[in-house]
Amino acid sequence: MNANWEKIEKNVGVLNVEVDAEQVASALEQAFRKVVKKVNVPGFRKGKVPRKIFEMRYGVESLYQDAIDILLPQVYSEAVEKTGIEPVDRPEIEVEQFAAGQSFKFKAKVTVKPEVALGEYKGIEVPAADTEVTEEEINKELERLQQRHAELVVVDEGPVQLGDIAVIDFEGFLDGTPFEGGKGERYSLELGSGTFIPGFEEQVVGLNIAEEKEINVTFPENYHAENLAGKPVVFKVKLHEIKRKNLPALDDEFAKDVSEFDTLEEYKQDLAAKLKERKEKDAEYAREVAVIDKAAEAAEVEIPEVMIDNEVEHMLRDFENRLRTQGMNLELYTQFSGQTVEALKAQMKEDAAKRVRNNLVLEAIAKAENLQVNDADIDEELEKLSKIYNRSAEELRTIFSSNGYLDTLTGDLKVRKAVKFLVEHSKTA
């Protein structure tokens, strides 16, 4: 097989490939064995038709497309490996020649991973982070724990307040007509949670039990239902029940209930230590982000749009997986939030472009500094993953090797080494 790569513009080029006639003959034979199983020819059992008879009846050309489908994926992969290019998208294939007794020639228009011109990435200055814990931060953490352990009590009288759980019936009307999805009965709504359309929850505040009210709100312009997007509507609301949080007192008994400590003071000291540890980790992460961003800003790289689109799709899948862990899916989320999937993708695009750029720069730094990943690094990572997936490291290695993920894992580890290199060679401003 002969293969050569010719760059035509920016990150796009043409891969010219020629496969010898022997491989073509082998592919035609494989195609014949596949097709003959489905062919009925008088005088022959199914699947037993000689190839010569088959070609006389149907023509050898009837095998060409199947043969190409068999041969192309293999030789394309070999050509990519031989030329050393790194495709980032599906190729556009143009078959130039394919016939029995001849070589197979094709062109593949390919978008490849862009080259990175690194700027200054050693000695990046990063502001010092404050990791001291204040009394105010400890008190805020205690207040958060108070909220988590609050008891919900039913309030029999008085108006509903911000922060209460309002149990309501509601029905929405557009131009006097009820609209689909706008009705609920005995729905528990925490006022101030921002769950409903902007302006709705604030207008429920002040209602008394059994009281009814008409609430006027306007749907967001980007709401998923076109018939409601940007439209003013009226909701008829009736309040059935009020539930209010009864916060526990911050005392020694509270400390005993929520921790292994006997006094509130001991618990506060433990909280302070944990908050400091969290702030130190946050500071470490912030330093990593800062040095990566500055190294990326100093570099020059033209990113193919397809790489950004692929990253957006990856981010969307991650987002949907997180929703599933919360008992929700993407369709329900768009209904509740009023956002379309396309609007979500548009929001993710800037972050996706940044992620792609940063990763390309980190890969270039790893290459420039000759940062290597050895077997010990991979073994260590597989041991960590084995605890997460509850499978042995050797079993994971076999799985990763078979599906090609071991190379991806190696690349990820190399990028992490580049991040560590940047941090170690950074300075505190």
Side-chain angles (χ1 to χ4, degrees), residues 55-68:
E55 291 183 4
M56 287 175 61
R57 187 177 181 91
Y58 298 103
V60 68
E61 294 81 10
S62 64
L63 299 174
Y64 284 180
Q65 189 56 57
D66 284 310
I68 290 171

Side-chain angles (χ1 to χ4, degrees), residues 14 20 24 52 63 84 127 161 211 248 287 319 356 395 404 411:
V14 173
D20 61 50
V24 172
K52 188 173 182 180
L63 299 174
Q161 303 172 8
E211 189 176 355
R287 190 177 191 90
F319 180 65
V356 173
E395 188 179 3

Side-chain angles (χ1 to χ4, degrees), residues 300-312:
E300 293 182 10
V301 56
E302 290 189 44
I303 304 171
E305 194 68 20
V306 66
M307 292 188 75
I308 299 171
D309 292 340
N310 289 342
E311 184 63 24
V312 167

Side-chain angles (χ1 to χ4, degrees), residues 60 66-67 119 141 162 198 232-233 280 291 302 344 347 372 399-400:
V60 68
D66 284 310
E141 185 66 13
L162 205 63
V233 296
E280 287 173 347
V291 294
E302 290 189 44
L344 275 173
Q347 289 177 9
Q372 299 297 322
I399 294 170
F400 289 176

